[in-house]
Amino acid sequence: MKYPTRLSDAVHILAFIALYPDCDLTSNKLAESVQTNPAYVRQLMSALRKGGLLVSVKGHPRPALAREPEKITLLDVYRAVEGNKPLLHRDIHTNPACGVGVNIQLVLRDFYLDIQKTAEQRMQEITLKDVLEQYHMKLEGMPLQRL
């Protein structure tokens, strides 16, 4: 089973842009960092633009954040790339004639809604600035590599 990585990839792209604001950052360059293909990066960047988080001009490799990092939350990024998709998904293919199959999914729905609410509240508190600060702490004083 492949796990969705759109959120982490989108945060990666935004962080890269924040870390290297004066560099030419083509979708090829960003894709190299994410280890994916440039078309996927362009798709994410398009969603980030539509979500009001990124400013870029087609054909110009200088994307920029549309807001300061402290004004971009993980929930903003999630909404931009995933819309209103829930974090957790129930199995909708259980046997409708089975009492356990039907009712366990209803019980899980209630718990999943609670988890969704809690996660969204926490995601609203975490900003791109927080991510960048943690990034720098992880580097433990190592100088940033320049492109």
Side-chain angles (χ1 to χ4, degrees):
M1 169 185 266
K2 185 176 185 318
Y3 295 101
T5 60
R6 290 173 57 85
L7 175 61
S8 61
D9 293 341
V11 172
H12 182 144
I13 290 166
L14 291 172
F16 203 100
I17 291 167
L19 291 167
Y20 298 102
D22 298 323
C23 294
D24 286 349
L25 298 177
T26 63
S27 56
N28 287 340
K29 185 68 173 173
L30 292 167
E32 184 180 306
S33 180
V34 178
Q35 284 199 317
T36 189
N37 66 65
Y40 173 68
V41 167
R42 287 190 294 274
Q43 179 187 58
L44 287 177
M45 290 176 72
S46 175
L48 293 168
R49 270 192 310 278
K50 289 176 186 169
L53 304 177
L54 185 67
V55 177
S56 66
V57 177
K58 191 173 183 174
H60 297 283
R62 288 276 171 111
L65 301 180
R67 303 182 215 161
E68 294 298 317
E70 61 271 14
K71 294 184 179 174
I72 297 174
T73 69
L74 284 184
L75 186 58
D76 294 332
V77 180
Y78 183 79
R79 290 280 183 250
V81 298
E82 295 290 0
N84 288 317
K85 284 185 188 174
L87 295 168
L88 302 172
H89 304 275
R90 294 178 293 129
D91 182 355
I92 58 170
H93 302 293
T94 56
N95 183 351
C98 174
V100 174
V102 170
N103 289 305
I104 199 69
Q105 296 307 316
L106 294 175
V107 170
L108 286 174
R109 179 195 61 200
D110 295 340
F111 284 118
Y112 286 5
L113 288 172
D114 183 50
I115 292 166
Q116 182 78 30
K117 181 180 173 187
T118 302
E120 287 182 8
Q121 288 171 343
R122 184 65 180 118
M123 289 169 76
Q124 187 65 39
E125 297 169 358
I126 301 169
T127 67
L128 182 59
K129 180 181 179 189
D130 297 326
V131 171
L132 293 168
E133 286 173 354
Q134 286 279 44
Y135 166 83
H136 287 295
M137 286 175 45
K138 297 279 184 200
L139 287 179
E140 296 182 89
M142 292 174 52
L144 286 177
Q145 295 179 353
R146 291 289 162 200
L147 296 176

